[in-house]
């Protein structure tokens, strides 16, 4: 849609006349009732996009691509159809030795028939379905089948403990739960059915039916009267047609991870979601119908929702579903093997994946083993891309490496380098520039706007663009209190950072990761940026630990690259921070550790580390990737 316009012109158009901008973007969606109103602003701070429109997201993701080719929609310049035999979904599972490709026609057939299964179990438009499954094609099929019926899916990351799953069940109150007998990790099998049984026992809500996909690696017992076999119920299933829903109806509820209190259900609506994701596929990721796009994430996280399932399929691209790890399945060349084998054009991963690869293969020797000539872009999100990892990837891959920043709440990037609009210069450490619709401001505690280079709270002036959360599930008041109350008229991101003289946004970390050293506010992200530039450091974390004299002092934790020496390294790093930031940083201790505790999505558990360092008895978060890593770190944190 950008045509020959550059970034600044496109962005300014979205701010000056958002209704015209998003009306144009909406022409790429196939509506059963096109919008005549673009935004409902009658109830601020709650806004709704395309309030009088109607569509079906599954039909947009599958049906319209399978229709005969050359069918041009009257309300769109896009020609859809003719992609029935094109690969829609490529499943690659090194942990099971399985590879499978679904064409658009095959994926539509499986989805339409599983929608029949859900309907036969009582699922209707507006009902909720909890999906607790591993990275397998049936997970994608279950999500799309819900969308086909106008039901609301709530995917819970496979591996969450029973009490966490139970909390989400009680909040969503599903008509059906869909699961698999197990998940498979490189070194173990996770008994999903046991976790599901435990959650259903703990939950107050009585879920009447459970569909179970039996995996041969670990079959399970089915509970009579409640559980049904996926294979059995699909045997006689007939395809059902898509059900039109209001653009403002929820497509899904995705709960933010947490260990205490009532879970926070992020709502994603159907209409704004489809419009925004289609816009991003072309304009942010420079992806066109027929291209191969790979988001190396998990469908249990927002990246998996937006860019494994919906974004590529809405566009008519080919998406890759990978059940494996960046290292260990079998080695640090796993990502390059997948990218080469399927001709991936755009790869999207978390920085922690690149750091893991860099740690095991610092010289990137595995890159030379594969033909990556079709790989054009590496996008990074989930955590700040530190300059050291950026420079490593940029040098070893020789393609644009783009850090971009977004959240579960927004569903797509707040800031990025829009490669489909303009090949903008990249600044290491920056998420580049705000995307259309995001009027980003950096605010001081009193609500005044920061000067260029001055750190503050990153906020977005309301209304947020389409595709972002309109509210929390069943709780408008909590939505307002959590995100809109601190700075009236603005969305509070919870992240801190600054905008430089060129308008580039630097996201330095969560605002609770800003530490106060003897009255001086310092971002732990700025200290981490210095540590990460050392050639021996694979990854690092900095936390603010309580100090009787200064209030807080920073502590650094670093993981070495394979083969790097620890001799004298801690002293070198302390000196580097002093030289680059100044004595005010007061960094005096850096510990070299084997690994850092992370969530399964790759985020370092800084808050948990800080609590342990301050002497609190922090519980093991249910989102943790490997509890043993945190257990090993506890005595160091407390010393």
């Amino acid at each position: 849609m950008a045509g020959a316009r550059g970034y600044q012109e496109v962005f300014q158009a979205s701010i000056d006349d958002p209704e015209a901008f998003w009306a144009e973007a909406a022409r790429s969606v196939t509506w059963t009732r096109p919008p005549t109103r673009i935004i409902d602003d009658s109830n601020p701070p709650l806004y709704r996009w395309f309030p009088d429109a109607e569509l079906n997201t599954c039909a947009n993701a599958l049906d319209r691509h399978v229709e005969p080719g050359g069918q041009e929609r009257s309300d769109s310049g896009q020609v859809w159809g003719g992609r029935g035999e094109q690969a829609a979904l490529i499943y690659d599972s090194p942990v099971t030795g399985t590879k499978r490709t679904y064409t658009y026609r095959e994926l539509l057939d499986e989805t339409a028939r599983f929608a029949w299964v859900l309907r036969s179990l009582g699922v209707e438009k507006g009902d909720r379905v909890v999906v607790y499954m591993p990275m397998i094609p049936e997970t994608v099929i279950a999500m799309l089948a819900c969308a086909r019926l106008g039901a609301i899916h709530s995917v819970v990351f496979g591996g969450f403990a029973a009490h966490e799953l139970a909390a989400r069940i009680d909040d969503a109150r599903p008509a059906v739960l869909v699961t698999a007998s197990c998940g498979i990790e490189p070194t173990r099998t996770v008994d999903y059915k046991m976790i599901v049984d435990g959650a259903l026992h703990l939950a107050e809500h009585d879920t009447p039916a459970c569909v179970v996909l039996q995996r041969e690696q670990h079959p399970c017992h089915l509970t009579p009267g409640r559980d049904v076999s996926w294979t059995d119920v699909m045997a006689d299933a007939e395809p059902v047609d898509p059900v039109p829903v209001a653009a403002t109806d929820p497509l899904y509820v995705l709960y933010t991870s947490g260990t205490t209190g009532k879970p926070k259900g992020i709502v994603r609506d159907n209409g704004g979601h489809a419009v925004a994701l289609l816009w991003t596929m072309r304009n942010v990721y420079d992806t066109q119908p027929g291209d191969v796009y790979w988001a190396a994430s998990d469908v249990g996280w927002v990246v998996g929702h937006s860019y494994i399932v919906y974004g590529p399929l809405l566009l008519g691209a080919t998406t890759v579903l990978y059940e494996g790890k960046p290292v260990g399945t079998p080695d640090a060349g796993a990502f390059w093997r997948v990218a080469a084998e399927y001709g991936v054009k755009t790869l999207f991963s978390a920085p922690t994946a690149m750091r893991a690869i860099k740690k095991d293969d610092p010289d990137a020797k595995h890159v030379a083993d594969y033909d990556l000539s079709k790989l054009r872009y590496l996008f990074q999100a989930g955590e700040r891309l530190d300059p050291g990892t950026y420079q490593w990837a940029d040098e070893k891959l020789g393609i644009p490496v783009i850090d971009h920043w977004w959240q579960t709440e927004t569903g797509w990037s707040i800031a990025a380098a829009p490669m489909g609009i303009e090949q903008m210069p990249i600044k290491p450490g920056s998420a580049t520039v705000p995307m259309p619709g995001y009027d980003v401001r950096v605010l001081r505690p009193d609500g005044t706007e920061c000067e260029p280079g001055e750190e503050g709270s990153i906020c977005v002036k309301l209304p947020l663009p389409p595709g972002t959360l309109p509210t929390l599930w069943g709780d408008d008041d909590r939505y307002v209190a959590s995100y809109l109350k601190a700075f009236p008229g603005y969305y509070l991101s919870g992240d801190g950072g600054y905008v430089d003289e060129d308008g580039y946004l630097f996201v330095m970390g969560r605002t609770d990761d800003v530490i106060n050293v003897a009255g001086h506010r310092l971002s732990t992200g700025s200290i981490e940026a210095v540590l990460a530039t050392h050639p021996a450091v694979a990854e690092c974390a900095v936390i603010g630990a309580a100090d009787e004299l200064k209030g807080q002092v920073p502590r650094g934790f670093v993981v070495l690259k394979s083969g790097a020496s620890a001799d004298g390294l801690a002293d070198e790093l302390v000196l580097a921070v002093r030289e680059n930031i100044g004595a005010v940083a007061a960094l005096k201790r850096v510990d070299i550790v084997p690994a850092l505790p992370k969530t399964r999505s790759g985020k370092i558990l800084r808050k948990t580390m800080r609590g342990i360092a301050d002497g609190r008895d922090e519980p093991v978060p249910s989102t943790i990737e490997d509890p043993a890593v945190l257990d090993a770190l506890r005595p160091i944190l407390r010393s």
Side-chain angles (χ1 to χ4, degrees):
M1 92 173 243
R5 295 183 294 172
Y7 159 75
Q8 193 57 51
E9 184 180 352
V10 172
F11 175 77
Q12 201 58 49
S14 78
I15 300 301
D16 292 344
D17 193 348
E19 292 194 54
F21 184 91
W22 293 112
E24 183 183 354
R27 295 175 63 231
S28 292
V29 171
T30 301
W31 305 91
T32 54
R33 186 172 66 230
T36 61
R37 294 180 64 202
I38 304 305
I39 187 170
D40 178 0
D41 58 1
S42 63
N43 187 31
L46 304 177
Y47 299 87
R48 304 309 301 267
W49 289 93
F50 315 110
D52 63 348
E54 187 181 79
L55 76 161
N56 182 274
T57 295
C58 179
N60 274 268
L62 297 178
D63 299 61
R64 67 174 175 174
H65 304 306
V66 178
E67 294 168 353
Q71 293 194 358
E72 185 170 323
R73 300 292 175 185
S74 59
D75 59 347
S76 171
Q78 174 69 51
V79 177
W80 303 108
R83 298 189 178 276
E85 308 315 312
Q86 177 195 305
L89 177 70
I90 296 171
Y91 169 56
D92 187 294
S93 173
V95 296
T96 63
T98 305
K99 298 176 184 179
R100 196 186 320 160
T101 297
Y102 291 77
T103 65
Y104 268 96
R105 191 179 308 281
E106 290 167 338
L107 190 58
L108 172 58
D109 178 65
E110 292 285 317
T111 297
R113 291 193 303 116
F114 192 67
W116 181 93
V117 169
L118 292 176
R119 180 174 285 173
S120 72
L121 294 170
V123 176
E124 298 292 343
K125 176 179 173 179
D127 287 341
R128 276 78 61 207
V129 175
V130 167
V131 179
Y132 183 80
M133 298 185 78
M135 287 286 286
I136 54 178
E138 289 82 1
T139 309
V140 177
I141 291 165
M143 294 167 70
L144 291 166
C146 291
R148 192 169 193 81
L149 295 178
I152 303 163
H153 63 70
S154 183
V155 181
V156 179
F157 178 80
F160 262 124
H163 71 278
E164 291 291 335
L165 177 57
R168 287 150 175 79
I169 290 169
D170 279 337
D171 197 61
R173 303 182 67 79
V176 170
L177 187 147
V178 184
T179 191
S181 59
C182 69
I184 300 167
E185 298 289 332
T187 58
R188 65 192 177 107
T189 299
V190 182
D191 190 337
Y192 277 23
K193 185 55 165 51
M194 181 179 69
I195 296 171
V196 166
D197 286 344
L200 293 174
H201 175 73
L202 291 170
E204 294 181 5
H205 173 72
D206 182 19
T207 303
C210 185
V211 183
V212 183
L213 178 77
Q214 296 279 17
R215 302 190 78 183
E216 63 181 30
Q217 292 83 4
H218 188 86
C220 65
H221 171 73
L222 301 184
T223 302
R226 185 195 70 198
D227 299 345
V228 295
S229 161
W230 176 297
T231 304
D232 290 348
V233 292
M234 282 287 277
D236 299 319
E238 298 289 338
V240 299
D241 292 332
V243 176
V245 299
T248 54
D249 283 347
L251 171 67
Y252 68 77
V253 176
L254 181 59
Y255 291 94
T256 54
S257 57
T259 57
T260 60
K262 182 182 177 184
K264 194 159 55 176
I266 305 300
V267 172
R268 193 79 62 218
D269 65 12
N270 276 272
H273 174 258
V275 171
L277 290 193
L278 270 168
W279 189 92
T280 64
M281 288 301 298
R282 293 189 180 93
N283 293 287
V284 175
Y285 301 106
D286 191 24
T287 300
Q288 302 301 325
D291 287 343
V292 181
Y293 183 97
W294 178 24
S297 181
D298 191 287
V299 288
W301 308 121
V302 69
V303 171
H305 282 59
S306 293
Y307 295 113
I308 295 176
V309 181
Y310 289 110
L313 297 180
L314 286 166
L315 179 68
T318 299
T319 187
V320 177
L321 181 75
Y322 177 68
E323 190 181 24
K325 302 291 183 182
V327 297
T329 56
D331 52 37
F335 273 25
W336 320 133
R337 190 270 300 171
V338 172
E341 187 167 336
Y342 304 116
V344 172
K345 177 183 178 180
T346 302
L347 170 59
F348 177 172
S349 81
T352 189
M354 289 302 114
R355 288 193 285 264
I357 295 169
K358 180 177 71 168
K359 180 178 183 292
D360 275 22
D361 186 17
D363 297 324
K365 293 178 181 177
H366 284 291
V367 170
D369 296 337
Y370 301 99
D371 178 5
L372 298 178
S373 57
K374 292 186 177 180
L375 186 61
R376 293 277 305 279
Y377 305 108
L378 172 64
F379 279 83
Q380 299 276 274
E383 265 204 319
R384 180 173 179 269
L385 176 61
D386 61 274
T389 301
Y390 162 80
Q391 288 159 357
W392 178 86
D394 180 65
E395 175 189 339
K396 303 305 182 185
L397 295 175
I399 59 174
V401 178
I402 301 113
D403 186 16
H404 62 325
W405 171 59
W406 51 297
Q407 302 175 317
T408 301
E409 289 85 350
T410 66
W412 61 284
S413 48
I414 303 170
M419 304 309 286
I421 298 176
E422 181 179 341
Q423 302 280 313
M424 302 185 71
I426 302 297
K427 293 188 180 185
S430 173
T432 315
V433 290
M435 287 297 89
Y438 289 103
D439 189 353
V440 174
R441 310 292 179 92
V442 181
L443 303 180
R444 303 184 182 100
D446 64 1
T448 57
E449 199 162 342
C450 293
E451 297 293 328
E454 179 186 354
E455 287 196 34
S457 295
I458 303 175
C459 301
V460 182
K461 191 174 182 181
L462 298 176
L464 294 174
T468 56
L469 80 168
T471 188
L472 296 176
W473 177 249
D475 204 338
D476 288 351
D477 290 342
R478 189 181 183 193
Y479 168 54
V480 172
S482 298
Y483 300 102
L484 310 181
K485 187 176 180 181
F487 298 100
Y490 291 88
Y491 166 81
L492 177 69
S493 74
D495 280 300
Y498 64 92
V499 174
D500 72 5
E501 296 283 354
D502 297 322
Y504 277 56
L505 180 66
F506 289 75
V507 183
M508 304 308 294
R510 301 297 292 173
T511 50
D512 57 9
D513 286 332
V514 173
I515 59 176
N516 194 317
V517 181
H520 299 281
R521 287 171 57 83
L522 295 171
S523 163
T524 57
S526 61
I527 303 174
E528 288 177 5
V530 176
L531 300 183
T533 58
H534 194 286
V537 174
E539 58 182 344
C540 62
V542 172
I543 63 170
D547 182 81
E548 289 185 4
L549 178 62
K550 296 187 175 183
Q552 285 181 302
V553 292
R555 286 186 59 182
F557 301 85
V558 301
V559 178
L560 301 185
K561 291 179 183 175
S562 180
S565 171
D567 291 345
L569 178 61
D571 292 338
E572 289 181 39
L573 293 172
V574 168
L575 180 61
V577 170
R578 186 182 183 90
E579 290 176 345
N580 284 272
I581 297 179
V584 66
L587 178 70
K588 295 182 179 179
R589 179 173 176 181
V590 175
D591 289 290
I592 298 165
V593 297
L596 294 170
K598 300 175 184 176
T599 66
R600 296 181 185 91
S601 64
K603 288 185 170 64
I604 296 171
L605 293 165
R606 294 176 179 84
K607 183 178 180 181
T608 302
M609 292 171 63
R610 185 169 64 246
I612 295 170
D614 288 348
R616 295 191 293 273
D617 186 19
E618 289 286 330
V620 177
S622 60
T623 55
I624 195 167
E625 173 74 22
D626 185 355
V629 173
L630 184 60
D631 291 340
L633 194 59
R634 282 181 190 271
I636 299 172
L637 287 163
R638 287 172 171 160
S639 63

